[in-house]
Amino acid sequence: MNLTLVKKDGQHWVGSRQVAEMVDKEHSNLCRDIRGYLEVLNHPDSILNAADFFKESNYADKQKQKRACYLISRKGCDFIGNKMTGEKGTLFTAAYVSTFHDMDDRLRFQAAKQVDIATKKALSMAAAIQKYMGVKPGIAQATCLGMMEAEYGVDLEPVKKLIPAAAHDTGFLNPTEVGKRLSMNAAKTNLMLAGIGLQEKIEGDWRLTDAGKPYGEEMPFTRNGHSGYQIRWNESVVDLLVACLAPTSAEN
């Protein structure tokens, strides 16, 4: 007999009626045994979580009456299997081990398929963004991979690590961090960057000018319902600002 799994609360379970039938035991007696197991698992001195083994449930019988039953996890099956001896116990153990093993195989296959689909979709989007919006390849790929992680619920970090390193100086300093190098606050730093023509304010956001593009990257963001751009500056902009400040410092 094959066991059928049901998914509830993010976990896979076997119904107690199936187990009772497989081990040739009255369902009411199996439920009685499970209640006894729960008393032990729920004891104040127990370090185990009973909900990891068994979960109360119900079903409708032939007369449409609601009857109590239990959902049994992989751990719960281990628990029951270890209490049993003889041929029936062996057959039950083999059945639940095979059932959960097959489920693991299916989940691994599905996960790999989702990663493949998400990666291809991300790289396709990144290519379009790079072509039509002029975004650097690495930034477009990292951003789109992050989007697909959220959409498909998969981990694409190993794929992100394969993104080639940028062939140019990549921006990572925000205005506050640039300002710290120059002993000034972010507001003054932004005004100075604008003053030398590296950025300008458009619709409330600082945007790179053509002159500023060699010194930074525009990174899209969404926060508190607002979407816009944040500039991340290269180390080279610090040297440029230091050079611009030098005459002023000399005069002072």
Side-chain angles (χ1 to χ4, degrees):
M1 175 181 175
N2 294 323
L3 294 173
T4 301
L5 297 177
V6 295
K7 188 173 183 180
K8 187 173 184 179
D9 300 331
Q11 189 171 344
H12 287 86
W13 309 82
V14 176
S16 56
R17 289 187 297 161
Q18 286 191 81
V19 174
E21 183 179 353
M22 173 160 279
V23 300
D24 195 20
K25 192 170 193 175
E26 289 292 331
H27 182 242
S28 58
N29 291 338
L30 177 62
C31 288
R32 179 202 59 201
D33 292 344
I34 292 175
R35 288 193 292 272
Y37 303 151
L38 287 173
E39 287 182 10
V40 175
L41 293 170
N42 285 320
H43 191 278
D45 295 334
S46 174
I47 61 173
L48 300 173
N49 183 1
D52 290 338
F53 294 78
F54 307 103
K55 182 183 290 291
E56 291 184 357
S57 187
N58 59 73
Y59 69 98
D61 64 14
K62 293 180 180 179
Q63 287 73 42
K64 308 299 181 182
Q65 297 295 313
K66 186 180 288 187
R67 302 294 182 184
C69 65
Y70 287 92
L71 297 177
I72 306 171
S73 70
R74 187 197 303 248
K75 288 182 179 180
C77 288
D78 284 336
F79 201 105
I80 293 173
N82 287 334
K83 298 287 185 181
M84 300 180 65
T85 58
E87 182 179 343
K88 291 176 183 177
T90 300
L91 291 174
F92 168 66
T93 300
Y96 85 76
V97 168
S98 296
T99 297
F100 281 102
H101 185 273
D102 289 345
M103 178 200 68
D104 289 339
D105 285 344
R106 288 195 301 272
L107 290 177
R108 279 192 292 269
F109 176 78
Q110 291 169 2
K113 189 174 181 179
Q114 289 292 84
V115 167
D116 181 61
I117 293 171
T119 300
K120 288 178 179 177
K121 188 172 180 179
L123 295 181
S124 178
M125 289 175 59
I129 289 173
Q130 179 188 348
K131 179 178 179 180
Y132 295 109
M133 302 177 69
V135 178
K136 298 290 192 301
I139 293 176
Q141 291 164 3
T143 300
C144 291
L145 286 168
M147 292 168 61
M148 291 303 101
E149 276 185 320
E151 180 174 336
Y152 285 88
V154 295
D155 179 17
L156 297 180
E157 197 60 35
V159 182
K160 292 179 185 177
K161 292 179 180 179
L162 299 177
I163 297 175
H168 61 285
D169 190 12
T170 304
F172 65 94
L173 299 174
N174 63 31
T176 299
E177 293 163 330
V178 173
K180 284 181 181 179
R181 310 287 183 92
L182 306 170
S183 300
M184 64 174 70
N185 61 34
K188 188 174 181 180
T189 301
N190 275 324
L191 290 176
M192 187 173 180
L193 290 165
I196 61 175
L198 300 188
Q199 67 177 9
E200 59 184 341
K201 212 158 203 178
I202 300 176
E203 297 182 354
D205 291 325
W206 289 110
R207 303 295 299 270
L208 287 170
T209 61
D210 288 340
K213 289 180 180 178
Y215 297 96
E217 304 277 358
E218 290 184 343
M219 307 293 291
F221 77 94
T222 301
R223 182 172 56 245
N224 297 327
H226 172 69
S227 297
Y229 289 87
Q230 293 175 323
I231 298 176
R232 290 294 182 262
W233 298 97
N234 306 330
E235 286 283 353
S236 55
V237 82
V238 177
D239 297 331
L240 179 62
L241 294 179
V242 169
C244 293
L245 288 171
T248 303
S249 301
E251 290 173 5
N252 294 338

